[in-house]
C-alpha cells in the first residue's frame, strides 16, 4: 500500500520546483528530447564477452536502475509484463479521472531508446527463477496466438529482481473476489469505471431507496496514504462533479473508511493525522478506526471491532488498500535460496539476495536485512583491537569508527539520537566516566556500550522513493564494478579480510505527501517540518510535475490538472 | 461501416472553421458553459399529463434529437448502454492513439444537464420493444450486484429508436471470434492494445522470423472510409512511432487491405479513389481488390479472388469493417410490426416506423422507405385535376408542383438532373412539344411523363451526418407538434385529405472527408468539389474541432493533436 505513498525521489532542486509555472516553455526542449540521435549499438564480437544483466520489472526500482546504468560492458535484457513505467504516486488521482491513466505512463522502450546502450525489452512475466543454473523462465502475458511458444528461458550473469509486490488480502475470505485493489494502472481504471457504474446503477428506476443507498456506499479499507488519498479523491469527485449530474441520488451517497489501527496515516506526524481525521469527519466521511475486516461478500463487509462486536455493512464498492504481500514467484525463489521461513526476500546492505552471489533484489519485493552489531561484536572488537591487547583504547576506537558507522548505520543513528559526538563518547558514557580521556574497554564492556544500537534498526518503507534510490544505487555499483573490484571503496570487512567493494545502500528520506482532497495536502519534510493546506498542495503539484519521467507525461499531467480545474472530471463510462 | 465516414453535420459557418486557430481563447467561454444555472425542473401535477418520450440510444441521432428538443411538454427518458456520446468520425484516430478515447466522448448527462428540461437517463440496454402495449423492456449491462433487478420496463407515448447498427460479418465463419470491429469506443481501444501486443509479441526472443512476420501482418477487411482511414492511421503509427521503438522488427511489418469490389472508397469521386490507391501502393500497403474473405481462423484469413482462386494468408491482427447489420432487438421488432421480410427497419419520410403510430426510428438502425411516385400516380393525378376533367393542364400542374416536389423529392432531383425549370417543362417534354404553352395530359400521358423519376431514389448513407440531421429534424417536429397539429405545414396528402402535419425529412449533404494518412486528406464537397492534400487536412482539423459537442472535448481533441505532433503517439499497453 505504502508503495504509492507520495514520494519524490532523488534530489529535487528548487529550479525544478518551479517547473509547473514554466512548463509551457518546455515545448521546444521536449521536441528536441523526443528526437535523440541515439541508435541501437551495433552488435559486435565483444557481445559474447559482455556480462548478461537481466532486469525483472519496470516499476520505480527497475526503471531507475535502467535510467542510471551507463557502463557499456553489459548486455541488458528487461522483462516485465508491462511495457511502460507508471508514475504510481498519481494512481489515486487516476481512479477519479483527475489525471488520465495515459498521462502517468511512459513506454519503457522510449526510456531505453534514449540511452546509448544495447538494452532489449521483452513483454513477459517471470514465472520462475533458477538461481542455480542462472536462468529465468518467462511467459508472455497475452500469447493466445503463439501456439505453445508462450514460454521462454533467459540466461543471466547478474539478475536484478524489481518486480514489486502484490496487494495483501491477509487471506480474508471474499476480498480477492469482491474488492478493488490499487496497485496497477488497470486497477485505477477499473475503480473509475466502477464508481460510475455504481452511480448509473443507483439511477435505475426499479430499485428501492435502500438498494440505492447500498449501491452508493463506498468503502475504503486501509487508512494509509493510498486509502486516504483515494477516499479524498472520491469525496471530491462526488461532490464537485457527480452530484451535479446525478441530482436524484445526491442524498444517498456515503463513504466509509475502515482502519484496523487507532488512527489513519499513522506513519505520519500526529498533527497530520489529526488534521486528516477532523477534515474527514467534517465532510461526513465515516471514519471507523479499530475496525478489522473479517469477511467480504458481494454486498456486505463484515467487521470486528476491538470490543469483539461483529457487524455487517452493506456496500456497493470497496477498495482494499491495507498493505503489500509477496508475489508467488518470489515465494518460490525464497525456498530455493534458503529463505523459506522469512516474511520477505532478504538482501544484504548491497541489495544482493542472501544465499546467492549474483542476484540483486530491490524495491517492494525485497527488504534489506540490516546486519546487527551484536552479531558481529567479537569480530568488530578484534579488528578494532589492533595491538591484540584484549582491550580497546580511545585511539583504536576512533580509527575504525567511520567503518563501523558505514557498515552499521544504526550506530550513527544511535549517536545522533543520543546527541553524542562520536563513538568514544558512547564508550565513555558506558564506562560512566565522561571526563577521562584515556579509556580502555574489554570485550564485555564494549558489548555493553553498543548493546542499545541495534534497536535503531528499522525496515525501509515500501515507497517509490526507496525503490528509486535503490535503483540508482545499484546502477551506480554496476557502472563502477570493475573499478571498485580493483579499488574497493566500501567499509572494512569485519568478518573477513580487506574491504567491501562498495559502500552499502543508504536511504535518504526526502519527505512525504498526503493529499487530503479539496486542494489541501499535508507534507512532512525531513526535520519534522510539517505543512498542511493549500500551499502544500501547490508544493505537491510542483514536485509531482517536476518528478515526471518525461516531458510528454509532464505536459499531460499538468494539462490534466488544468482540464480538471476548468471542466471538472469526466464521467463517461469508458 | 459508413457510419463513421467523415461527416460534418448541420451548418458549418466560416467563423467556426477558424476555431482551431482560436481555440485557446475558449477557456472563459467554456468555463461559463460548464456552470449553467439550469436545475432539474421540479416535478408538478402537470407531469402526469405530459407525454412520455422514450429515446433509445445516445449516438449521433439520439443525441442530436436530445440537444434540439426544447418543448417542455414532454417527459423524456433516455435509455442507452453507454452513458456518453462518442464523436465516432474520430474513432479511427483513437485506434492508434492520435486522439485519446476520452477526448471524443461527452457524458450524456452533461448534455442533458445544460437543458432546462426534465430528462432522465438510465444506463441500460433495450432488449425488447412491445409496440402494442407501448412498453420497452430494458436490462442493465453491468448488474452483477443487483440480484435479479437487472430488468425493468418503461412505458412510452412516443418512442424514438436510435440504437444504431452492429458490424456485419455476413455470417462468414471465424469473423466474430477473430476479427476486431470498429464501431464502439471500446473497439478502438482494443485495437490499439492489440497493435502494441503484436509488436511486443514479435519481439519475444523464442520466435522464428516467419512467426514474427505473421504476427506483424495487419489485415484490414473493407475498403470503405473507415477501413481506409484505419489502414492509413496504422501505417503512420508504425512508421512515425513504432519503428523507432521496435527497430529489430521494422523489416517484418506489413499491412494488407482487402476489398471485395474493384476499388476502395467507391462511394467517393474517382479522383479520390485513384489518389488513395496510388498513395497506398507507393507506401507498400498491399491493396487487394476483388478479394472476398470466406473464412477467418486465428492465424489465417482465407480469401477468394474473382478468378475463383482460394488462398490463405497468415496474419497477426485483422480489423473487419465491411458494413453494417441490424441489431437483434430491431430484427425482433420488425417481426412485430410486419416488416419481417425487410432488410432494415423502414420508416416513412417523417421517420415514423411503418406499421406503428408512435414509434420513430432514425440513424443507422432505420432506412427511409421513400414513397414511389408510380405507387400514388392515380391519386396525384386526381388531386391535381381540380376540375375533374380527366386531363391535367399546365395551370393545374403548377398549382400542385410544390406539394409534389415536397412529398416526392425524387421529382425535384429528376428535374434538376434534366436541367428542367419546372414540372410543366417535364410534361411538355414528354408530349414532345416544348414550345406550346397550353398543354393537357390524360392520366396515361402523366404517368409516362413521370415514369423515370423514381429511378432517382437512393437510400441515404449510414453516416453521422444523416443521423444528426434526422435527430434535429425529429426534435423540431416534436417541438412544434401542437402547433402543426392545428396548422399543418406539410405537403398535400395525395392519398387522403388535408395536409401532412410536417414537411418530410430532407437530407442536405455537406460533403465528406477521407483522411489518407501522412497529413493528407481527401475532401469531397457538394457540387463535386474535390480537394486532396495538406490543405484538406487542415480543413479536416478545423471542421472536426468545430463540430465537437462541447468545449471540453474540443480542447482535448486539439491538445491531443498538438501532443501527437510534438511527442508522437504513446505505445504503452494500457
Amino acid at each position: 500500500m505504502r508503495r504509492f505513498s507520495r514520494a519524490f525521489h532523488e534530489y529535487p532542486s528548487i529550479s525544478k520546483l518551479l517547473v509547473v509555472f514554466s512548463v509551457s516553455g518546455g515545448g521546444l526542449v521536449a521536441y528536441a528530447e523526443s528526437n535523440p540521435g541515439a541508435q541501437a549499438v551495433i552488435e559486435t564480437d565483444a557481445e559474447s564477452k559482455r556480462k548478461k544483466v537481466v532486469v525483472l520489472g519496470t516499476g520505480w526500482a527497475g526503471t531507475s536502475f535502467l535510467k542510471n546504468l551507463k557502463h557499456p560492458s553489459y548486455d541488458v535484457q528487461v522483462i516485465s509484463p508491462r511495457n511502460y513505467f507508471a508514475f504510481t504516486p498519481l494512481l489515486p488521482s487516476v481512479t477519479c479521472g483527475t489525471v488520465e491513466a495515459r498521462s502517468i505512463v511512459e513506454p519503457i522502450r522510449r526510456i531505453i531508446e534514449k540511452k546509448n546502450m544495447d538494452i532489449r525489452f521483452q513483454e513477459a512475466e517471470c514465472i520462475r527463477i533458477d538461481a542455480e543454473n542462472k536462468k529465468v523462465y518467462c511467459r508472455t502475458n497475452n500469447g493466445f496466438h503463439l501456439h505453445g511458444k508462450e514460454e521462454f528461458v533467459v540466461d543471466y550473469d547478474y539478475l536484478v529482481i524489481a518486480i514489486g509486490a502484490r496487494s495483501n488480502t491477509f487471506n480474508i475470505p471474499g476480498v480477492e473476489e469482491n474488492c478493488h485493489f490499487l496497485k496497477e494502472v488497470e486497477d485505477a481504471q477499473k475503480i473509475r469505471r466502477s464508481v460510475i457504474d455504481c452511480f448509473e446503477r443507483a439511477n435505475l428506476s426499479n430499485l428501492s431507496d435502500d438498494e440505492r443507498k447500498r449501491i452508493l456506499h463506498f468503502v475504503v479499507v486501509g487508512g494509509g496514504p493510498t486509502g486516504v488519498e483515494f477516499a479524498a479523491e472520491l469525496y471530491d469527485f462526488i461532490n464537485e462533479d457527480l452530484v451535479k449530474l446525478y441530482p436524484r441520488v445526491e442524498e444517498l451517497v456515503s463513504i466509509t473508511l475502515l482502519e484496523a489501527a487507532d488512527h489513519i496515516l499513522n506513519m505520519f506526524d500526529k498533527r497530520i493525522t489529526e488534521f486528516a481525521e477532523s477534515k474527514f469527519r467534517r465532510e461526513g466521511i465515516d471514519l471507523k478506526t479499530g475496525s478489522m475486516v473479517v469477511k467480504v461478500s458481494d454486498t456486505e463487509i463484515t467487521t470486528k471491532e476491538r470490543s469483539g462486536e461483529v457487524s455487517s455493512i452493506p456496500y456497493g464498492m470497496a477498495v482494499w488498500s491495507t498493505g503489500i504481500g509477496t508475489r508467488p514467484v518470489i515465494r518460490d525463489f525464497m525456498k530455493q535460496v534458503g529463505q523459506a521461513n522469512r516474511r520477505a526476500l532478504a538482501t544484504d546492505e548491497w541489495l544482493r539476495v542472501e544465499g546467492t552471489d549474483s542476484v540483486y533484489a530491490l524495491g517492494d519485493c525485497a527488504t534489506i536485512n540490516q546486519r546487527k552489531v551484536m552479531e558481529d561484536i567479537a569480530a568488530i572488537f578484534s579488528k578494532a583491537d589492533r595491538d591484540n591487547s584484549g582491550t580497546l583504547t580511545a585511539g583504536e576506537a576512533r580509527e575504525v569508527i567511520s567503518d563501523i558507522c558505514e557498515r552499521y548505520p544504526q550506530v550513527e543513528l544511535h549517536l545522533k539520537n543520543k546527541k553524542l559526538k562520536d563513538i568514544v563518547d558512547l564508550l565513555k558514557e558506558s564506562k560512566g566516566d565522561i571526563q577521562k580521556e584515556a579509556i580502555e574497554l574489554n570485550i564485555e564492556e564494549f558489548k555493553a556500550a553498543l548493546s542499545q544500537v541495534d534497536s535503531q534498526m528499522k525496515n525501509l518503507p515500501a515507497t517509490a522513493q526507496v525503490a528509486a534510490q535503490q535503483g540508482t544505487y545499484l546502477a551506480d555499483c554496476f557502472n563502477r564494478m570493475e573499478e571498485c573490484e580493483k579499488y574497493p571503496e566500501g567499509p572494512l570487512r569485519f568478518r573477513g579480510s580487506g574491504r567491501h567493494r562498495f559502500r552499502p545502500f543508504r536511504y535518504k528520506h526526502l519527505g512525504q505527501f498526503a493529499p487530503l482532497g479539496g486542494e489541501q495536502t499535508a507534507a512532512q519534510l525531513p526535520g519534522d517540518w510539517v505543512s498542511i493546506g493549500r500551499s502544500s498542495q501547490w508544493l505537491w503539484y510542483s514536485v509531482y510535475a517536476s518528478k515526471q519521467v518525461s516531458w510528454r507525461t509532464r505536459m499531460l499531467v499538468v494539462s490534466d490538472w488544468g482540464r480538471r480545474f476548468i471542466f471538472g472530471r469526466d464521467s463517461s463510462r469508458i
Side-chain angles (χ1 to χ4, degrees), chain A:
Chain A
M1 178 178 73
R2 282 171 295 167
R3 167 64 188 279
F4 306 128
S5 57
R6 359 295 45 141
F8 48 108
H9 75 296
E10 296 175 311
Y11 316 100
S13 63
I14 291 299
S15 66
K16 272 201 168 179
L17 291 184
L18 296 169
V19 78
V20 71
F21 305 108
S22 59
V23 84
S24 56
L28 269 179
V29 181
Y31 189 64
E33 193 185 38
S34 71
N35 283 299
Q39 290 296 325
V41 172
I42 294 155
E43 298 185 0
T44 62
D45 290 349
E47 194 187 25
S48 54
K49 287 165 217 151
R50 291 194 288 164
K51 294 278 192 188
K52 289 192 197 105
V53 178
V54 172
V55 181
L56 303 179
T58 50
W60 281 98
T63 304
S64 147
F65 175 79
L66 285 174
K67 284 186 86 167
N68 289 285
L69 190 66
K70 290 191 186 82
H71 205 283
S73 71
Y74 298 107
D75 169 22
V76 185
Q77 286 225 37
V78 186
I79 293 161
S80 168
R82 274 165 286 285
N83 75 353
Y84 53 83
F85 163 78
F87 191 88
T88 49
L90 283 176
L91 271 188
S93 300
V94 173
T95 57
C96 296
T98 309
V99 164
E100 288 300 329
R102 210 166 278 280
S103 307
I104 66 163
V105 302
E106 180 72 8
I108 202 74
R109 289 177 187 276
R110 282 216 191 207
I111 295 170
I112 290 171
E113 186 206 11
K114 284 175 194 157
K115 300 184 70 74
N116 213 346
M117 287 179 73
D118 189 17
I119 302 178
R120 173 165 193 173
F121 173 80
Q122 298 199 64
E123 194 189 78
E125 198 173 345
C126 170
I127 50 170
R128 199 161 75 82
I129 299 164
D130 180 352
E132 202 171 319
N133 300 303
K134 297 198 167 187
K135 284 176 194 304
V136 285
Y137 290 79
C138 306
R139 183 162 52 205
T140 65
N141 51 347
N142 195 355
F144 61 94
H145 277 243
L146 287 175
H147 298 291
K149 296 244 175 161
E150 291 83 7
E151 291 191 21
F152 58 94
V153 185
V154 179
D155 294 316
Y156 67 81
D157 294 309
Y158 297 112
L159 179 64
V160 178
I161 308 178
I163 62 172
R166 55 175 189 78
S167 294
N168 200 343
T169 65
F170 302 102
N171 290 321
I172 295 167
V175 174
E176 193 76 49
E177 302 88 318
N178 299 303
C179 291
H180 288 269
F181 300 101
L182 190 39
K183 281 214 67 74
E184 309 291 345
V185 176
E186 286 91 343
D187 295 339
Q189 290 176 306
K190 262 189 228 155
I191 289 174
R192 181 173 186 178
R193 262 193 300 272
S194 188
V195 171
I196 304 291
D197 268 351
C198 288
F199 274 86
E200 287 297 350
R201 257 181 257 158
N203 261 275
L204 295 177
S205 53
N206 61 333
L207 300 180
S208 69
D209 266 7
D210 275 352
E211 279 168 311
R212 286 181 221 281
K213 251 186 203 160
R214 176 183 73 73
I215 291 167
L216 291 173
H217 183 206
F218 299 92
V219 178
V220 182
V221 186
T226 308
V228 166
E229 185 175 351
F230 170 67
E233 278 279 349
L234 184 64
Y235 178 84
D236 286 354
F237 186 27
I238 291 171
N239 288 281
E240 291 170 10
D241 301 289
L242 293 181
V243 292
K244 277 189 238 154
L245 299 181
Y246 301 84
R248 288 167 200 265
V249 296
E250 184 176 351
E251 297 302 311
L252 308 172
V253 185
S254 59
I255 303 176
T256 299
L257 180 59
L258 299 174
E259 164 62 47
D262 287 329
H263 290 285
I264 60 171
L265 295 179
N266 46 39
M267 67 292 293
F268 279 87
D269 190 278
K270 231 172 64 186
R271 287 166 285 177
I272 292 177
T273 299
E274 274 166 19
F275 181 89
E277 289 183 351
S278 72
K279 179 172 188 292
F280 277 11
R281 293 221 159 90
R282 214 163 47 237
E283 291 172 344
I285 295 177
D286 191 7
L287 207 59
K288 285 196 176 147
T289 53
S291 186
M292 288 261 299
V293 173
V294 291
K295 208 182 91 189
V296 181
S297 81
D298 60 344
T299 55
E300 282 190 338
I301 292 184
T302 310
T303 59
K304 193 175 172 182
E305 310 303 310
R306 287 276 165 78
S307 61
E309 188 199 345
V310 174
S311 61
S312 285
I313 40 175
Y315 78 101
M317 188 195 131
V319 172
W320 189 267
S321 161
T322 59
I324 59 168
T326 312
R327 290 188 191 274
V329 61
I330 295 287
R331 273 261 142 251
D332 176 71
F333 177 60
M334 285 165 71
K335 276 181 206 154
Q336 277 179 57
V337 296
Q339 297 194 12
N341 299 322
R342 287 191 172 272
R343 208 185 50 80
L345 184 62
T347 70
D348 61 20
E349 295 87 339
W350 292 266
L351 309 184
R352 187 151 59 176
V353 174
E354 291 187 349
T356 70
D357 65 347
S358 49
V359 182
Y360 298 83
L362 52 167
D364 286 4
C365 67
T367 46
I368 297 174
N369 189 21
Q370 179 67 51
R371 188 89 71 97
K372 290 201 182 91
V373 170
M374 283 304 122
E375 282 177 60
D376 294 350
I377 194 80
I380 297 170
F381 188 84
S382 77
K383 269 272 152 97
D385 181 20
R386 291 219 164 177
D387 56 4
N388 289 319
S389 63
T391 55
L392 205 62
T393 62
E396 283 174 332
R398 278 217 179 86
E399 254 174 67
V400 290
I401 175 63
S402 69
D403 285 312
I404 292 177
C405 285
E406 197 154 46
R407 181 69 187 83
Y408 308 96
Q410 61 265 47
V411 175
E412 197 174 354
L413 266 177
H414 187 73
L415 294 176
K416 219 171 170 185
N417 277 2
K418 297 211 117 190
K419 296 196 170 57
L420 295 169
K421 208 175 72 220
D422 68 8
I423 199 166
V424 175
D425 288 342
L426 180 67
L427 301 181
K428 279 185 198 164
E429 194 195 50
S430 82
K431 286 278 273 191
D433 191 353
I434 204 87
Q435 299 306 327
K436 201 169 142 198
E437 173 56 19
I439 55 156
E440 271 193 49
L441 292 92
N442 63 23
I443 175 120
E444 288 310 317
E445 287 168 327
F446 186 65
K447 243 188 212 172
L450 293 173
S451 62
Q452 298 300 314
V453 297
D454 286 335
S455 64
Q456 293 293 331
M457 282 165 39
K458 249 193 260 177
N459 279 338
L460 294 177
T463 60
Q465 203 176 155
V466 170
Q469 289 186 18
Q470 289 182 335
T472 309
Y473 166 81
L474 193 65
D476 198 44
C477 292
F478 272 68
N479 290 336
R480 295 177 304 119
M481 190 83 88
E482 279 172 46
E483 191 188 325
C484 291
E485 205 74 72
K486 286 183 213 150
Y487 313 105
E489 55 168 35
L492 269 180
R493 287 181 197 270
F494 288 102
R495 286 192 163 213
S497 63
R499 295 188 155 267
H500 290 278
R501 273 184 305 180
F502 306 109
R503 293 200 181 88
F505 172 71
R506 286 290 272 279
Y507 171 59
K508 196 177 169 203
H509 186 64
L510 296 170
Q512 219 176 348
F513 284 113
L516 302 171
E519 297 283 310
Q520 308 240 36
T521 284
Q524 183 167 358
L525 301 174
D528 276 335
W529 193 69
V530 165
S531 154
I532 308 174
R534 277 174 187 267
S535 57
S536 321
Q537 178 77 21
W538 282 98
L539 183 67
W540 182 88
Y541 281 137
S542 311
V543 170
Y544 277 26
S546 73
K547 285 296 163 193
Q548 292 300 315
V549 80
S550 75
W551 274 99
R552 194 185 63 86
T553 56
R554 190 167 296 134
M555 189 198 86
L556 289 177
V557 163
V558 172
S559 74
D560 282 353
W561 287 331
R563 171 185 52 71
R564 205 269 306 166
F565 182 72
I566 301 173
F567 300 105
R569 300 165 183 90
D570 184 29
S571 64
S572 306
R573 192 183 161 274
I574 59 166

